[in-house]
């Protein structure tokens, strides 16, 4: 597995971890919350950032959940509000470019927010929006941000029928940019059929694949060794 080949050196360099997925509604926020708890359990001073959130009416609900979780483990985030861990929020539930009616998104502003929050922790978990090819601007995609941040990435994939295609496309995109990554499966759709319609391929081609519920602790230990952060 591509990510496994590289993962042995992750603990030497990881200061941030970017969470992406094959699409929207795959479980990025769920995954990020589990990561916060597990890294904290392992003694890592963890922080969180949700650079862009769309579909916001009164307050960014994903950012609120993430912040409430991290505040339990990192006192540096205690006084922050949900908007403090975001760079941009938009009302329309759509890709950032489409939701940004006033054309206000600036990549440097996102990077500045990330850098600001990195100063409050040893490991910053950054949760993306949608998948890798979601446009932030007309010519700048989420994968461009990941590449420029030079951050380790965790790709979250679904368990539903058809996930093999989505997973392979995302893996190829990450490989094409030389982005250091690993991937896991969030087992929440078509779980009963997974072992018959999807697992045989993963077992054959990616025998070290892991699911979010069963492999997260080991993943965090590989990338979150507190003596090496």
């Amino acid at each position: 597995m591509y990510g496994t080949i590289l993962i042995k050196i992750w603990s030497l360099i990881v200061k941030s971890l970017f969470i992406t997925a094959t699409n929207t509604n795959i479980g990025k926020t769920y995954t990020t919350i589990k990561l916060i708890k597990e890294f904290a359990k392992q003694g890592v001073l963890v922080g969180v950032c949700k650079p862009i959130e769309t579909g916001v009416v009164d307050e960014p609900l994903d950012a609120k959940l993430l912040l409430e979780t991290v505040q339990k483990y990192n006192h540096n985030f205690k006084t922050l509000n949900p908007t403090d861990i975001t760079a941009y929020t938009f009302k329309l539930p759509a890709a950032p470019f489409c939701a940004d009616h006033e054309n206000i998104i600036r990549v440097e502003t996102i990077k500045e927010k990330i850098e600001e929050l990195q100063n409050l922790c040893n490991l910053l978990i950054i949760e993306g929006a949608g998948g890798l090819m979601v446009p932030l601007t007309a010519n700048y995609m989420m994968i461009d941000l990941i590449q420029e941040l030079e951050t380790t990435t965790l790709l979250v994939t679904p368990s539903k029928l058809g996930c093999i295609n989505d997973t392979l496309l995302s893996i190829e995109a990450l490989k094409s940019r030389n982005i250091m990554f690993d991937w896991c499966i969030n087992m929440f759709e078509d779980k009963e059929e997974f072992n018959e319609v999807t697992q045989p391929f993963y077992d054959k081609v990616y025998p070290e694949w892991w699911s979010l519920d069963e492999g997260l602790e080991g993943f965090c230990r590989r990338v979150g060794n507190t003596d090496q952060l």
Side-chain angles (χ1 to χ4, degrees):
M1 187 167 68
Y2 182 79
T4 302
I5 294 174
L6 295 174
I7 203 168
K8 294 179 181 179
I9 64 171
W10 281 10
S11 60
L12 298 175
I13 60 176
V14 171
K15 298 299 181 185
S16 62
L17 177 64
F18 200 104
I19 310 304
T20 189
T22 54
N23 210 318
T24 191
N25 294 324
I26 302 300
K28 291 187 298 295
T29 300
Y30 173 73
T31 299
T32 302
I33 289 173
K34 289 180 72 70
L35 284 165
I36 291 169
K37 293 177 179 178
E38 184 58 40
F39 276 122
K41 179 181 176 182
Q42 296 183 17
V44 178
L45 185 63
V46 65
V48 71
C49 178
K50 177 73 175 178
I52 299 179
E53 184 167 342
T54 63
V56 176
V57 179
D58 296 317
E59 61 180 345
L61 296 182
D62 286 351
K64 181 180 179 182
L65 285 173
L66 296 174
L67 180 61
E68 288 175 348
T69 302
V70 86
Q71 285 176 331
K72 298 175 183 177
Y73 308 104
N74 187 335
H75 66 278
N76 294 325
F77 281 74
K78 287 285 188 182
T79 61
L80 301 186
N81 296 312
T83 53
D84 293 325
I85 66 167
T86 65
Y88 297 102
T89 62
F90 301 100
K91 184 176 181 180
L92 183 69
F97 171 73
C98 296
D100 181 14
H101 294 157
E102 298 179 1
N103 191 30
I104 64 172
I105 291 178
R106 299 292 180 269
V107 174
E108 286 307 312
T109 300
I110 295 173
K111 291 179 178 179
E112 288 169 4
K113 173 59 67 175
I114 290 171
E115 183 176 356
E116 170 191 331
L117 295 173
Q118 281 181 317
N119 292 327
L120 304 179
C121 57
N122 290 338
L123 174 65
L124 184 69
I125 303 177
I126 307 163
E127 183 190 321
L132 292 167
M133 298 306 294
V134 165
L136 305 186
T137 70
N139 302 303
Y140 192 92
M141 309 298 163
M142 191 66 69
I143 196 170
D144 296 316
L145 177 63
I146 296 172
Q147 185 176 27
E148 290 185 4
L149 290 174
E150 298 182 335
T151 181
T152 302
T153 299
L154 178 63
L155 170 68
V156 183
T157 73
S159 53
K160 65 181 179 180
L161 178 64
C163 65
I164 292 175
N165 179 71
D166 296 344
T167 299
L168 294 183
L169 286 172
S170 294
I171 287 175
E172 285 301 313
L174 290 163
K175 285 182 177 181
S176 72
R177 302 295 188 97
N178 294 315
I179 293 170
M180 192 176 299
F181 74 95
D182 199 358
W183 64 279
C184 68
I185 302 169
N186 184 17
M187 302 285 290
F188 75 104
E189 290 182 288
D190 298 340
K191 292 195 299 183
E192 293 76 14
E193 296 81 21
F194 177 82
N195 64 344
E196 183 177 5
V197 302
T198 301
Q199 187 173 342
F201 176 79
Y202 288 157
D203 286 345
K204 179 67 175 180
V205 181
Y206 300 103
E208 297 183 36
W209 71 269
W210 53 280
S211 69
L212 184 59
D213 290 332
E214 296 181 0
L216 193 68
E217 180 180 354
F219 171 77
C220 290
R221 290 196 182 282
R222 293 192 295 271
V223 302
N225 188 312
T226 55
D227 292 331
Q228 297 177 332
L229 276 175

